[in-house]
PDB file of all heavy atoms in Angstrom:
ATOM      1  N   SER A 139      17.422   4.821  -8.176  1.00 25.00           N
ATOM      2  CA  SER A 139      18.662   4.098  -7.906  1.00 25.00           C
ATOM      3  C   SER A 139      18.697   2.669  -8.425  1.00 25.00           C
ATOM      4  O   SER A 139      19.672   1.970  -8.210  1.00 25.00           O
ATOM      5  CB  SER A 139      18.926   4.083  -6.402  1.00 25.00           C
ATOM      6  OG  SER A 139      17.858   3.480  -5.718  1.00 25.00           O
ATOM      7  N   GLY A 140      17.662   2.198  -9.094  1.00 22.00           N
ATOM      8  CA  GLY A 140      17.737   0.850  -9.651  1.00 22.00           C
ATOM      9  C   GLY A 140      17.191  -0.205  -8.715  1.00 22.00           C
ATOM     10  O   GLY A 140      16.836   0.055  -7.583  1.00 22.00           O
ATOM     11  N   MET A 141      17.128  -1.443  -9.210  1.00 23.00           N
ATOM     12  CA  MET A 141      16.458  -2.509  -8.480  1.00 23.00           C
ATOM     13  C   MET A 141      17.403  -3.463  -7.774  1.00 23.00           C
ATOM     14  O   MET A 141      16.972  -4.424  -7.179  1.00 23.00           O
ATOM     15  CB  MET A 141      15.590  -3.320  -9.462  1.00 23.00           C
ATOM     16  CG  MET A 141      14.444  -2.550 -10.060  1.00 23.00           C
ATOM     17  SD  MET A 141      13.243  -2.005  -8.853  1.00 23.00           S
ATOM     18  CE  MET A 141      12.578  -3.555  -8.312  1.00 23.00           C
ATOM     19  N   ALA A 142      18.702  -3.222  -7.827  1.00 25.00           N
ATOM     20  CA  ALA A 142      19.636  -4.210  -7.291  1.00 25.00           C
ATOM     21  C   ALA A 142      19.387  -4.507  -5.825  1.00 25.00           C
ATOM     22  O   ALA A 142      19.455  -5.654  -5.382  1.00 25.00           O
ATOM     23  CB  ALA A 142      21.071  -3.728  -7.485  1.00 25.00           C
ATOM     24  N   TYR A 221       9.164  -9.088 -15.279  1.00 73.00           N
ATOM     25  CA  TYR A 221       9.416  -8.114 -14.222  1.00 73.00           C
ATOM     26  C   TYR A 221       9.825  -6.778 -14.818  1.00 73.00           C
ATOM     27  O   TYR A 221      10.764  -6.678 -15.587  1.00 73.00           O
ATOM     28  CB  TYR A 221      10.546  -8.664 -13.352  1.00 73.00           C
ATOM     29  CG  TYR A 221      10.953  -7.837 -12.182  1.00 73.00           C
ATOM     30  CD1 TYR A 221      10.408  -8.068 -10.928  1.00 73.00           C
ATOM     31  CD2 TYR A 221      11.912  -6.849 -12.307  1.00 73.00           C
ATOM     32  CE1 TYR A 221      10.806  -7.334  -9.835  1.00 73.00           C
ATOM     33  CE2 TYR A 221      12.319  -6.100 -11.222  1.00 73.00           C
ATOM     34  CZ  TYR A 221      11.765  -6.347  -9.989  1.00 73.00           C
ATOM     35  OH  TYR A 221      12.170  -5.624  -8.910  1.00 73.00           O
ATOM     36  N   GLY A 222       9.096  -5.735 -14.482  1.00 66.00           N
ATOM     37  CA  GLY A 222       9.442  -4.397 -14.919  1.00 66.00           C
ATOM     38  C   GLY A 222       9.528  -3.472 -13.731  1.00 66.00           C
ATOM     39  O   GLY A 222       8.968  -3.746 -12.677  1.00 66.00           O
ATOM     40  N   ALA A 223      10.241  -2.352 -13.875  1.00 63.00           N
ATOM     41  CA  ALA A 223      10.403  -1.414 -12.772  1.00 63.00           C
ATOM     42  C   ALA A 223      10.214   0.008 -13.279  1.00 63.00           C
ATOM     43  O   ALA A 223      10.635   0.345 -14.383  1.00 63.00           O
ATOM     44  CB  ALA A 223      11.778  -1.567 -12.134  1.00 63.00           C
ATOM     45  N   ARG A 224       9.580   0.818 -12.459  1.00 58.00           N
ATOM     46  CA  ARG A 224       9.303   2.208 -12.811  1.00 58.00           C
ATOM     47  C   ARG A 224      10.031   3.120 -11.832  1.00 58.00           C
ATOM     48  O   ARG A 224       9.893   2.985 -10.620  1.00 58.00           O
ATOM     49  CB  ARG A 224       7.797   2.480 -12.737  1.00 58.00           C
ATOM     50  CG  ARG A 224       7.393   3.917 -13.023  1.00 58.00           C
ATOM     51  CD  ARG A 224       5.913   4.104 -12.714  1.00 58.00           C
ATOM     52  NE  ARG A 224       5.433   5.405 -13.128  1.00 58.00           N
ATOM     53  CZ  ARG A 224       5.559   6.511 -12.416  1.00 58.00           C
ATOM     54  NH1 ARG A 224       6.179   6.479 -11.242  1.00 58.00           N
ATOM     55  NH2 ARG A 224       5.076   7.658 -12.856  1.00 58.00           N
ATOM     56  N   PHE A 225      10.783   4.073 -12.362  1.00 54.00           N
ATOM     57  CA  PHE A 225      11.476   5.047 -11.522  1.00 54.00           C
ATOM     58  C   PHE A 225      11.263   6.436 -12.101  1.00 54.00           C
ATOM     59  O   PHE A 225      11.269   6.613 -13.311  1.00 54.00           O
ATOM     60  CB  PHE A 225      12.976   4.746 -11.438  1.00 54.00           C
ATOM     61  CG  PHE A 225      13.265   3.422 -10.798  1.00 54.00           C
ATOM     62  CD1 PHE A 225      13.578   2.319 -11.565  1.00 54.00           C
ATOM     63  CD2 PHE A 225      13.192   3.278  -9.429  1.00 54.00           C
ATOM     64  CE1 PHE A 225      13.821   1.093 -10.982  1.00 54.00           C
ATOM     65  CE2 PHE A 225      13.439   2.051  -8.838  1.00 54.00           C
ATOM     66  CZ  PHE A 225      13.752   0.967  -9.610  1.00 54.00           C
ATOM     67  N   ASP A 233      11.747   6.763 -15.866  1.00 56.00           N
ATOM     68  CA  ASP A 233      12.545   5.652 -16.374  1.00 56.00           C
ATOM     69  C   ASP A 233      11.802   4.343 -16.153  1.00 56.00           C
ATOM     70  O   ASP A 233      11.179   4.149 -15.107  1.00 56.00           O
ATOM     71  CB  ASP A 233      13.892   5.564 -15.653  1.00 56.00           C
ATOM     72  CG  ASP A 233      14.877   6.593 -16.180  1.00 56.00           C
ATOM     73  OD1 ASP A 233      14.583   7.207 -17.214  1.00 56.00           O
ATOM     74  OD2 ASP A 233      15.928   6.766 -15.546  1.00 56.00           O
ATOM     75  N   TYR A 234      11.884   3.458 -17.126  1.00 56.00           N
ATOM     76  CA  TYR A 234      11.367   2.109 -16.970  1.00 56.00           C
ATOM     77  C   TYR A 234      12.522   1.137 -17.156  1.00 56.00           C
ATOM     78  O   TYR A 234      13.194   1.154 -18.189  1.00 56.00           O
ATOM     79  CB  TYR A 234      10.254   1.816 -17.976  1.00 56.00           C
ATOM     80  CG  TYR A 234       9.007   2.592 -17.701  1.00 56.00           C
ATOM     81  CD1 TYR A 234       8.805   3.838 -18.271  1.00 56.00           C
ATOM     82  CD2 TYR A 234       8.049   2.109 -16.815  1.00 56.00           C
ATOM     83  CE1 TYR A 234       7.670   4.573 -17.995  1.00 56.00           C
ATOM     84  CE2 TYR A 234       6.915   2.843 -16.535  1.00 56.00           C
ATOM     85  CZ  TYR A 234       6.728   4.071 -17.130  1.00 56.00           C
ATOM     86  OH  TYR A 234       5.615   4.794 -16.836  1.00 56.00           O
ATOM     87  N   GLU A 235      12.756   0.322 -16.153  1.00 60.00           N
ATOM     88  CA  GLU A 235      13.776  -0.712 -16.269  1.00 60.00           C
ATOM     89  C   GLU A 235      13.150  -1.881 -16.997  1.00 60.00           C
ATOM     90  O   GLU A 235      12.296  -2.583 -16.462  1.00 60.00           O
ATOM     91  CB  GLU A 235      14.264  -1.127 -14.885  1.00 60.00           C
ATOM     92  CG  GLU A 235      15.370  -2.154 -14.938  1.00 60.00           C
ATOM     93  CD  GLU A 235      15.869  -2.472 -13.549  1.00 60.00           C
ATOM     94  OE1 GLU A 235      16.582  -1.640 -12.964  1.00 60.00           O
ATOM     95  OE2 GLU A 235      15.530  -3.551 -13.043  1.00 60.00           O
ATOM     96  N   ALA A 236      13.546  -2.066 -18.232  1.00 58.00           N
ATOM     97  CA  ALA A 236      12.913  -3.070 -19.077  1.00 58.00           C
ATOM     98  C   ALA A 236      13.158  -4.468 -18.533  1.00 58.00           C
ATOM     99  O   ALA A 236      14.259  -4.778 -18.080  1.00 58.00           O
ATOM    100  CB  ALA A 236      13.426  -2.964 -20.501  1.00 58.00           C
ATOM    101  N   PRO A 237      12.147  -5.332 -18.559  1.00 66.00           N
ATOM    102  CA  PRO A 237      12.359  -6.736 -18.189  1.00 66.00           C
ATOM    103  C   PRO A 237      13.361  -7.392 -19.138  1.00 66.00           C
ATOM    104  O   PRO A 237      13.616  -6.912 -20.240  1.00 66.00           O
ATOM    105  CB  PRO A 237      10.959  -7.340 -18.340  1.00 66.00           C
ATOM    106  CG  PRO A 237      10.026  -6.178 -18.286  1.00 66.00           C
ATOM    107  CD  PRO A 237      10.755  -5.042 -18.908  1.00 66.00           C
ATOM    108  N   ASP A 238      13.918  -8.514 -18.688  1.00 72.00           N
ATOM    109  CA  ASP A 238      14.983  -9.146 -19.472  1.00 72.00           C
ATOM    110  C   ASP A 238      14.483 -10.229 -20.415  1.00 72.00           C
ATOM    111  O   ASP A 238      15.273 -10.831 -21.142  1.00 72.00           O
ATOM    112  CB  ASP A 238      16.051  -9.728 -18.544  1.00 72.00           C
ATOM    113  CG  ASP A 238      15.486 -10.745 -17.567  1.00 72.00           C
ATOM    114  OD1 ASP A 238      14.321 -11.161 -17.739  1.00 72.00           O
ATOM    115  OD2 ASP A 238      16.205 -11.103 -16.621  1.00 72.00           O
ATOM    116  N   LEU A 630       6.517  -0.362 -23.365  1.00 51.00           N
ATOM    117  CA  LEU A 630       6.992  -1.736 -23.433  1.00 51.00           C
ATOM    118  C   LEU A 630       6.004  -2.562 -24.260  1.00 51.00           C
ATOM    119  O   LEU A 630       4.841  -2.194 -24.407  1.00 51.00           O
ATOM    120  CB  LEU A 630       7.116  -2.337 -22.032  1.00 51.00           C
ATOM    121  CG  LEU A 630       8.057  -1.622 -21.058  1.00 51.00           C
ATOM    122  CD1 LEU A 630       7.976  -2.274 -19.696  1.00 51.00           C
ATOM    123  CD2 LEU A 630       9.486  -1.677 -21.572  1.00 51.00           C
ATOM    124  N   LEU A 634       4.959  -7.306 -21.200  1.00 51.00           N
ATOM    125  CA  LEU A 634       5.960  -6.760 -20.303  1.00 51.00           C
ATOM    126  C   LEU A 634       5.401  -5.594 -19.494  1.00 51.00           C
ATOM    127  O   LEU A 634       5.987  -5.187 -18.497  1.00 51.00           O
ATOM    128  CB  LEU A 634       7.181  -6.288 -21.095  1.00 51.00           C
ATOM    129  CG  LEU A 634       7.783  -7.295 -22.065  1.00 51.00           C
ATOM    130  CD1 LEU A 634       9.020  -6.708 -22.723  1.00 51.00           C
ATOM    131  CD2 LEU A 634       8.132  -8.591 -21.358  1.00 51.00           C
ATOM    132  N   ASN A 638       4.633  -4.478 -12.891  1.00 77.00           N
ATOM    133  CA  ASN A 638       5.653  -3.486 -12.607  1.00 77.00           C
ATOM    134  C   ASN A 638       5.852  -3.301 -11.111  1.00 77.00           C
ATOM    135  O   ASN A 638       4.937  -3.497 -10.309  1.00 77.00           O
ATOM    136  CB  ASN A 638       5.261  -2.141 -13.220  1.00 77.00           C
ATOM    137  CG  ASN A 638       5.222  -2.206 -14.732  1.00 77.00           C
ATOM    138  OD1 ASN A 638       6.239  -2.325 -15.379  1.00 77.00           O
ATOM    139  ND2 ASN A 638       4.015  -2.143 -15.284  1.00 77.00           N
ATOM    140  N   TYR A 639       7.044  -2.878 -10.751  1.00 80.00           N
ATOM    141  CA  TYR A 639       7.389  -2.541  -9.375  1.00 80.00           C
ATOM    142  C   TYR A 639       8.103  -1.196  -9.368  1.00 80.00           C
ATOM    143  O   TYR A 639       8.564  -0.707 -10.407  1.00 80.00           O
ATOM    144  CB  TYR A 639       8.298  -3.616  -8.757  1.00 80.00           C
ATOM    145  CG  TYR A 639       7.565  -4.905  -8.503  1.00 80.00           C
ATOM    146  CD1 TYR A 639       7.376  -5.822  -9.515  1.00 80.00           C
ATOM    147  CD2 TYR A 639       7.032  -5.177  -7.251  1.00 80.00           C
ATOM    148  CE1 TYR A 639       6.684  -7.001  -9.294  1.00 80.00           C
ATOM    149  CE2 TYR A 639       6.338  -6.352  -7.018  1.00 80.00           C
ATOM    150  CZ  TYR A 639       6.168  -7.257  -8.045  1.00 80.00           C
ATOM    151  OH  TYR A 639       5.470  -8.410  -7.819  1.00 80.00           O
TER     152      TYR A 639
END
Side-chain angles (χ1 to χ4, degrees):
S139 58
M141 295 297 294
Y221 181 94
R224 177 189 187 277
F225 297 101
D233 282 349
Y234 291 90
E235 183 177 286
D238 58 11
L630 301 175
L634 308 183
N638 295 290
Y639 290 82

